[in-house]
């Protein structure tokens, strides 16, 4: 195929590729690789596979770039923390890699220092906040206790003065007790997490055998713990104890439960003084923190303005050094030698790029570009655009085409969305799918620069596939005449009407044809009639068989042009021709009967015809005869189908053996170029040691496997296309159920509430089931029909993809 025949020809087979060698002087090597990365049309081969990554020439530079990338990732985390996004437009001036390395180090050190200082200040600030809460809550507790004590003391004095005989003896004894003998209690105060407060109280009681008094008070709002930095719900506590031993136990328990302790005094004057001091320190710390935060934000904002420029620069430099490590170093000539694949059409571009690199590097010696001859299989390179790339990825998911192998992606552009639409056909659902995908296409510049979720990213990548699926769904929806399962007379009135003017229910008494046939698609009168389901069932099943036969015949024809099985006259006469005869003698004839029945309106039973074509081929057809000479045609096709099987099985092994003997009679054995590719490794073993005996039994077994596989595959693949009928019918019936049992049922009630609820349920059911689940189901079934039933006829898919060194391809890789 000539080069440059057009975009379709470029997509049908791989671009012509060539193996080239580039000899680059050391002084211009870096710039040359950089320019080739901008061009993106040269795939480098690794000429240093024997060396580990650490033994290669530019390992130090790669390590250096990796350290710079670590610093850039640190800046990204700081930007995320500040809520700042990277600017798409870089405002900084162009700097060298050495200057960037120094600048990144300085900025990292500055940010680390600011973060450490900020963390210390935040720790002190949160600690003072907790201290203020303790002072406030404990002050309230002590004030309340003192008021109660004063009131109780006054009451006791009052009772003593009155000398009431009802006064308790113990109270009088307590009042007369010497104050010098009273025990002085100590106390510990602080905050404890609320979820641990119950356990904290229990352990205190058990450890001290109940010889402490615990008072707790909850704090309404969560506080930031100065140790963990997280918001935690806490309780203020104070523990009264007696003696140093009890105090030691209390302190240990506080540490075990993560309770923060703070000093407190029962002197009211000192309490007010402490509160004032804490408030002053909080104000000073708040001011300091705000100033530091403002400075930190300004530094991060300055980094965000140049973040993309720095990230891309380091990423490019690292990829350049990775590529330079794949080149071999010529010590004598002091140059680097590169080998790799490139399209033949890109030769002039690569040479101009190398010349430009030499000029810009002020090198006295130019780079040398030369073509090499190799028996190695070249990579596969298809020229795709944003429309065809998604269809090509569907094919590549099955396997990358071998070099110069016919590409199924050309046909997939049309056949994939069409087979999807056969199963999904509804022009209402198709319009919804079209509008949703149209948004992705109109906003593709915005979405392409954003990080989307996994599902959204998948939908965005296949936006042109989905919009083609929606367009074909609208087309098949017009054919099925279904708009959310509702028929419309879009192309004229129905061709059928009631038998007489008194007819009121056409679905029960029958219809007669009163006009010309409905011009396009299914007549709307069939929807809702008693014959609707049997008619649609029959029509869609027969249509599935026709589509399947068309695609399978296309696959066999492509295998002839592709050379998967047919490499010489033996393959053409004893494999291609009998395959076409066998397939079309049976299922091709069935397709012919379907078309004839549709055109003539015959009432013949196709099941009866195909079954008794095998069981009783000599019997008369009677009512099942659809055209003159049908019986004799069936006998001829049955005879051809029976002959085609041994025709595929027996002649080819004997002819290959004869061909082998003629070629190698009296001479050394050379591998047969005409033998099937699957046999070549077996026949070529030991070929360098002279003549080898032809393995006739292996060839016979191989041909037997091929024959059985094709015969059984013809039946199973034809049956597999009936999934088009099954899924189309299921989609139509589901849509009808949602419409009749939800929307129409809600309209029958004279209630706005029920109508709104019914409409909401209908919308969610339509979107969730029909537009999401059914779309995915039809997509997967269309994928299977292409991979298994279509591509296995001609497509090997065991090549490897052209993967050039390109900055555009590494731009979106994650660090």
């Amino acid at each position: 195929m000539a080069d440059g025949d057009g975009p379709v020809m470029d997509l049908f087979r791989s671009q012509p590729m060539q193996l080239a060698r580039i000899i680059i002087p050391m002084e211009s090597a870096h710039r040359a690789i950089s320019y080739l990365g901008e061009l993106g049309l040269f795939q480098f081969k690794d000429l240093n596979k024997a060396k580990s990554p650490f033994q290669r020439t530019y390992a130090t530079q790669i390590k250096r770039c990796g350290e710079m990338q670590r610093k850039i990732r640190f800046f990204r985390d700081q930007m995320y923390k500040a809520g700042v996004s990277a600017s798409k437009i870089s405002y900084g001036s162009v700097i060298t890699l050495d200057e960037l390395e120094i600048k990144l180090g300085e900025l990292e050190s500055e940010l680390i220092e600011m973060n450490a200082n900020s963390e210390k200040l935040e720790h002190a600030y949160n600690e003072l906040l907790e201290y203020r809460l303790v002072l406030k809550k404990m002050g309230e507790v002590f004030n309340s206790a003192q008021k109660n004590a004063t009131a109780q003391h006054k009451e006791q004095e009052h009772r003593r003065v009155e000398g009431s005989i009802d006064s308790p003896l113990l109270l009088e004894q307590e009042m007369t007790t010497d104050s010098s003998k009273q025990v002085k209690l100590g106390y510990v105060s602080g905050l404890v997490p609320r979820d641990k407060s119950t356990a904290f109280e229990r352990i205190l009681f058990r450890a001290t055998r109940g010889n402490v008094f615990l008072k707790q008070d909850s704090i309404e709002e969560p506080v930031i713990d100065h140790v963990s930095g997280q918001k935690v719900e806490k309780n203020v506590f104070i523990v009264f104890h007696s003696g140093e031993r009890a105090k030691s136990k209390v302190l240990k328990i506080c540490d075990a439960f993560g309770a923060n302790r703070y000093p407190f005094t029962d002197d009211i004057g000192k309490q007010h003084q402490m509160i004032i001091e804490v408030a002053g320190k909080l104000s000073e710390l708040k001011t300091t923190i705000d100033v530091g935060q403002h400075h930190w934000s300004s530094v991060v904002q300055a980094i965000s303005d140049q973040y993309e420029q720095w990230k891309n620069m380091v990423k490019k430099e690292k990829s350049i050094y990775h590529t330079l490590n794949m080149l071999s170093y010529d010590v004598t000539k002091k140059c680097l030698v590169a080998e790799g694949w490139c399209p033949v059409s890109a030769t002039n571009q690569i040479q101009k790029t190398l010349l430009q690199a030499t000029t810009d590097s002020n090198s006295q010696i130019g780079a040398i570009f030369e073509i090499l001859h190799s028996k190695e299989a070249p990579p596969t390179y298809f020229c795709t655009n944003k429309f065809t790339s998604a269809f090509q990825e569907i094919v590549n998911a099955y396997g990358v085409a071998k070099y110069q192998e016919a590409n199924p992606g050309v046909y997939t552009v049309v056949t994939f969305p069409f087979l999807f639409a056969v199963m999904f056909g509804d022009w209402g659902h198709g319009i919804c799918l079209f509008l949703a995908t149209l948004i992705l296409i109109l906003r593709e510049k915005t979405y392409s620069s954003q990080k989307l979720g996994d599902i959204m990213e998948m939908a965005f990548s296949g936006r042109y596939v989905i919009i083609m699926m929606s367009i074909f769904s609208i087309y098949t929806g017009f054919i099925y005449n279904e708009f959310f399962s509702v028929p419309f007379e879009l192309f004229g009135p129905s061709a059928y009407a009631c038998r007489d003017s008194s007819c009121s229910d056409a679905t029960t008494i029958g219809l007669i044809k009163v006009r010309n046939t409905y011009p396009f698609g299914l007549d709307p009168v069939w929807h809702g009639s008693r014959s609707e389901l049997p008619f649609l069932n029959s029509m869609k099943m027969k249509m599935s068989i026709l589509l399947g036969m068309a695609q399978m015949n296309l696959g066999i024809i492509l295998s002839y042009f592709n050379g998967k099985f047919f490499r010489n006259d033996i393959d053409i006469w004893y494999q291609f021709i009998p395959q076409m005869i066998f397939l079309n003698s049976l299922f091709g004839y069935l397709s012919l009967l379907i078309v004839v029945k549709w055109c003539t309106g015959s009432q013949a039973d196709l099941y009866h015809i195909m079954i008794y074509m095998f069981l009783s081929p000599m019997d008369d057809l009677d009512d099942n005869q659809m055209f003159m000479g049908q019986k004799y045609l069936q006998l001829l096709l049955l005879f051809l189908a029976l002959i085609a099987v041994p025709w595929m099985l027996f002649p080819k092994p004997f002819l290959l053996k004869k061909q082998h003997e003629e070629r190698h009679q009296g001479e050394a054995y050379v591998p047969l170029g005409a033998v099937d590719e699957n046999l070549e490794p077996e026949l070529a073993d030991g070929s360098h040691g002279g003549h080898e005996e032809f393995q006739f039994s292996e060839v016979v077994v191989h041909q037997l496997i091929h024959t059985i596989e094709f015969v059984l595959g013809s039946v199973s693949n034809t049956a597999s296309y009936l999934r088009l009928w099954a899924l189309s019918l299921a989609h139509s019936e589901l849509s009808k159920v949602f419409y009749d049992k939800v929307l129409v049922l809600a309209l029958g009630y004279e209630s706005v509430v029920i109508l709104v609820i019914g409409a909401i349920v209908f919308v969610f059911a339509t979107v969730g089931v029909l537009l999401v689940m059914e779309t995915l189901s039809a997509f997967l079934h269309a994928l299977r029909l292409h991979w298994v039933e279509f591509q296995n006829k001609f497509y090997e898919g065991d090549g490897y993809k052209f993967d050039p060194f390109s900055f555009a391809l590494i731009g979106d890789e994650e660090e």
Side-chain angles (χ1 to χ4, degrees):
M1 184 179 297
D3 185 30
D5 288 337
V8 176
M9 293 295 103
D10 291 342
L11 191 61
F12 185 71
R13 294 193 188 274
S14 170
Q15 288 281 296
M17 306 296 290
Q18 61 187 4
L19 182 64
R21 175 186 293 151
I22 305 176
I23 303 174
I24 313 171
M26 288 295 297
E27 59 269 17
S28 63
H30 183 278
R31 194 178 295 272
I33 299 300
S34 176
Y35 286 6
L36 288 175
E38 296 288 351
L39 183 63
L41 288 173
F42 195 88
Q43 176 179 328
F44 290 90
K45 294 177 64 177
D46 191 356
L47 303 180
N48 297 311
K49 290 182 178 179
K51 294 182 180 180
S52 68
F54 304 103
Q55 295 174 329
R56 303 200 180 195
T57 308
Y58 296 94
T60 305
Q61 287 82 349
I62 292 177
K63 183 178 179 182
R64 176 185 171 195
C65 291
E67 180 64 18
M68 295 170 69
Q69 284 183 319
R70 182 195 62 77
K71 295 175 182 177
I72 291 175
R73 288 195 296 271
F74 170 72
F75 296 154
R76 180 190 62 191
D77 295 338
Q78 295 299 301
M79 290 162 52
Y80 177 79
K81 181 180 176 182
V84 177
S85 58
S87 176
K88 300 301 178 183
I89 303 175
S90 298
Y91 300 100
S93 58
V94 178
I95 59 176
T96 64
L97 190 66
D98 295 333
E99 294 172 342
L100 179 60
E101 184 178 22
I102 296 172
K103 189 168 186 178
L104 293 180
E106 293 174 349
L107 287 171
E108 183 189 31
S109 300
E110 184 179 1
L111 284 175
I112 290 175
E113 184 179 358
M114 284 192 292
N115 289 337
N117 293 334
S118 176
E119 185 177 350
K120 291 179 182 178
L121 292 172
E122 289 285 349
H123 181 279
Y125 183 78
N126 293 329
E127 190 174 13
L128 286 174
L129 284 177
E130 288 190 349
Y131 193 18
R132 186 173 67 177
L133 288 172
V134 170
L135 291 174
K136 179 182 177 182
K137 289 290 184 180
M138 289 299 101
E140 293 175 356
V141 170
F142 271 80
N143 290 337
S144 176
Q146 288 180 354
K147 290 179 181 179
N148 292 336
T150 302
Q152 186 177 7
H153 180 70
K154 289 180 178 179
E155 183 181 353
Q156 291 172 355
E157 285 292 331
H158 178 69
R159 288 180 179 178
R160 186 176 62 81
V161 171
E162 290 180 352
S164 173
I165 62 173
D166 297 330
S167 299
L169 295 176
L170 289 176
L171 181 59
E172 293 179 3
Q173 183 180 356
E174 180 183 352
M175 294 173 60
T176 58
T177 303
D178 188 1
S179 61
S180 63
K181 295 182 180 180
Q182 293 181 355
V183 178
K184 183 69 174 180
L185 298 178
Y187 52 86
V188 176
S189 60
L191 287 90
V192 65
R194 189 172 300 169
D195 57 347
K196 299 180 181 178
S197 60
T198 304
F200 178 68
E201 182 177 358
R202 186 182 300 116
I203 295 297
L204 276 174
F205 181 82
R206 291 178 179 176
T208 61
R209 298 183 180 181
N211 291 322
V212 296
F213 176 74
L214 173 66
K215 175 69 175 176
Q216 295 191 74
D217 193 5
S218 61
I219 300 174
E220 293 78 10
E221 298 293 332
V223 297
I224 299 177
D225 186 74
H226 69 272
V227 177
S228 64
Q230 302 295 325
K231 281 191 174 184
V232 182
E233 291 184 339
K234 291 189 175 185
N235 290 350
V236 175
F237 71 90
I238 184 168
V239 181
F240 294 94
H241 59 82
S242 175
E244 290 298 323
R245 186 175 180 182
K247 179 181 179 181
S248 175
K249 290 182 179 180
V250 171
L251 295 178
K252 289 180 180 180
I253 293 172
C254 288
D255 293 338
F257 279 85
N260 302 327
R261 305 189 307 274
Y262 298 98
F264 185 76
T265 179
D266 54 357
D267 190 328
I268 297 178
K270 290 183 179 180
Q271 288 179 18
H272 287 295
Q273 184 179 356
M274 292 171 68
I275 291 174
I276 293 172
E277 290 177 359
V278 169
K281 290 180 180 179
L282 282 173
S283 178
E284 292 176 3
L285 281 175
K286 181 64 175 174
T287 303
T288 307
I289 290 173
D290 290 342
V291 172
Q293 184 69 24
H294 178 73
H295 178 56
W296 177 82
S297 299
S298 62
V299 173
V300 173
Q301 183 63 51
I303 290 173
S304 68
D305 293 338
Q306 304 177 67
Y307 175 80
E308 287 294 331
Q309 178 189 357
W310 295 346
K311 185 183 72 172
N312 292 333
M313 180 179 178
V314 175
K315 193 178 293 184
K316 287 182 180 180
E317 288 293 327
K318 188 176 182 181
S319 65
I320 290 171
Y321 287 120
H322 266 301
T323 305
L324 286 171
N325 271 341
M326 299 170 69
L327 277 56
S328 64
Y329 178 63
D330 192 328
V331 181
T332 58
K333 299 179 181 179
K334 294 184 179 181
C335 62
L336 292 173
V337 180
E339 290 185 7
W341 297 97
C342 65
V344 175
S345 58
T347 302
N348 292 334
Q349 290 176 275
I350 295 174
Q351 289 175 338
K352 289 179 181 179
T353 300
L354 294 174
L355 179 61
Q356 185 65 40
T358 303
T359 303
D360 294 346
S361 301
N362 297 321
S363 176
Q364 301 297 323
I365 304 173
I368 300 174
F369 180 86
E370 56 183 5
I371 308 300
L372 301 178
H373 297 284
S374 173
K375 294 183 179 180
E376 182 182 351
T380 301
Y381 175 48
F382 296 114
C383 292
T384 59
N385 50 40
K386 63 182 181 180
F387 177 79
T388 58
S389 60
F391 292 97
Q392 188 62 49
E393 287 302 318
I394 291 175
V395 176
N396 290 344
Y398 176 86
V400 178
K402 290 177 63 176
Y403 180 64
Q404 291 298 314
E405 182 180 11
N407 181 21
V410 178
Y411 310 98
T412 303
V413 173
V414 176
T415 58
F416 184 86
F418 178 70
L419 290 184
F420 169 87
V422 170
M423 296 178 277
F424 192 77
D426 186 301
W427 61 278
H429 297 153
I431 289 174
C432 293
L433 202 61
F434 177 83
L435 294 176
T437 315
L438 189 62
I439 296 174
L440 297 179
I441 293 176
L442 295 177
R443 298 178 59 107
E444 63 182 12
K445 290 185 178 180
T446 303
Y447 290 141
S448 60
S449 60
Q450 295 178 355
K451 286 188 177 181
L452 307 174
D454 292 339
I455 297 178
M456 188 65 180
E457 181 67 33
M458 199 182 307
F460 179 72
S461 300
R463 59 194 181 279
Y464 289 104
V465 176
I466 300 175
I467 203 165
M468 287 291 289
M469 288 158 46
S470 65
I471 292 172
F472 276 91
S473 297
I474 295 172
Y475 170 74
T476 54
F478 284 136
I479 293 178
Y480 297 158
N481 200 350
E482 290 186 6
F483 178 83
F484 297 99
S485 78
V486 180
F488 285 88
E489 294 184 343
L490 294 176
F491 303 100
S494 172
Y496 297 89
C498 296
R499 294 180 181 275
D500 53 61
S501 57
S502 62
C503 170
S504 59
D505 189 0
T507 63
T508 57
I509 65 172
L511 302 167
I512 58 172
K513 188 172 183 179
V514 296
R515 301 182 188 89
N516 293 329
T517 304
Y518 193 69
F520 184 81
L522 189 65
D523 195 306
V525 78
W526 285 105
H527 291 275
S529 68
R530 291 180 301 169
S531 305
E532 176 190 5
L533 189 58
F535 175 76
L536 290 177
N537 193 24
S538 175
M539 181 195 73
K540 292 183 177 181
M541 180 175 62
K542 292 181 175 66
M543 182 179 63
S544 300
I545 294 174
L546 293 178
L547 293 175
M549 282 303 303
Q551 194 169 40
M552 286 193 292
N553 274 285
L554 175 62
I556 296 176
I557 293 171
L558 285 174
S559 66
Y560 170 74
F561 291 103
N562 204 31
K564 176 178 179 181
F565 300 119
F566 314 124
R567 294 179 172 84
N568 56 19
D569 291 341
I570 293 178
D571 293 322
I572 294 173
W573 284 100
Y574 298 99
Q575 196 154 330
F576 171 71
I577 292 178
Q579 283 183 1
M580 292 294 290
I581 290 176
F582 179 83
L583 181 66
N584 290 287
S585 294
L586 301 179
F587 303 105
Y589 175 62
L590 174 61
S591 302
L592 175 64
L593 294 180
I594 291 172
V595 174
V596 171
K597 184 174 182 179
W598 281 352
C599 294
T600 61
S602 172
Q603 298 299 315
D605 187 352
L606 299 186
Y607 296 106
H608 186 278
I609 293 175
M610 294 303 298
I611 291 173
Y612 284 94
M613 176 179 173
F614 293 91
L615 297 181
S616 302
M618 303 304 296
D619 291 351
D620 292 333
L621 297 176
D622 298 330
D623 295 337
N624 290 319
Q625 182 165 336
M626 302 173 65
F627 52 87
M628 295 294 296
Q630 181 179 353
K631 175 182 176 181
Y632 301 104
L633 177 61
Q634 289 184 180
L635 290 172
L636 175 62
L637 293 177
L638 182 61
F639 174 76
L640 291 175
L642 296 176
I643 289 295
V645 177
W647 189 358
M648 283 187 282
L649 177 60
F650 296 113
K652 185 177 179 180
F654 290 99
L655 291 173
L656 289 177
K657 181 179 180 182
K658 180 181 178 182
Q659 187 182 68
H660 173 82
E661 292 173 350
E662 290 177 353
R663 288 188 177 184
H664 301 287
Q665 186 174 4
E667 61 182 50
Y669 174 75
V670 178
L672 273 174
V675 182
D676 281 0
E677 198 172 71
N678 294 329
L679 296 176
E680 287 178 2
E682 301 171 2
L683 300 178
D685 288 343
S687 59
H688 298 287
H691 178 73
E692 180 181 299
E693 184 180 356
F694 183 76
Q695 299 295 331
F696 179 74
S697 60
E698 293 185 10
V699 177
V700 171
V701 171
H702 181 267
Q703 191 63 23
L704 177 63
I705 293 172
H706 269 296
T707 303
I708 295 174
E709 181 183 15
F710 178 79
V711 172
L712 296 181
S714 298
V715 179
S716 64
N717 290 350
T718 304
S720 183
Y721 276 95
L722 293 177
R723 70 184 67 239
L724 297 173
W725 154 54
L727 267 78
S728 174
L729 205 60
H731 183 87
S732 177
E733 291 302 310
L734 268 176
S735 180
K736 186 177 180 182
V737 167
F738 290 149
Y739 177 77
D740 290 341
K741 302 302 180 182
V742 178
L743 194 59
V744 174
L745 193 63
L747 289 171
Y749 292 90
E750 296 181 357
S751 172
V752 177
V753 176
I754 295 178
L755 180 60
V756 171
I757 294 174
I760 293 174
V761 172
F762 176 76
V763 169
F764 276 93
T766 300
V767 173
V769 178
L770 297 177
L771 294 182
V772 177
M773 295 177 62
E774 281 286 302
T775 298
L776 182 60
S777 175
F779 180 91
L780 294 176
H781 282 281
L783 196 64
R784 184 246 154 76
L785 289 176
H786 278 77
W787 282 359
V788 179
E789 278 70 34
F790 176 52
Q791 290 180 191
N792 74 340
K793 299 289 189 303
F794 68 97
Y795 187 59
E796 292 183 351
D798 56 353
Y800 65 102
K801 192 176 180 181
F802 178 56
D803 185 20
F805 172 60
S806 172
F807 293 145
L809 297 179
I810 66 170
D812 295 330
E813 291 180 358
E814 291 293 334
E815 299 292 342

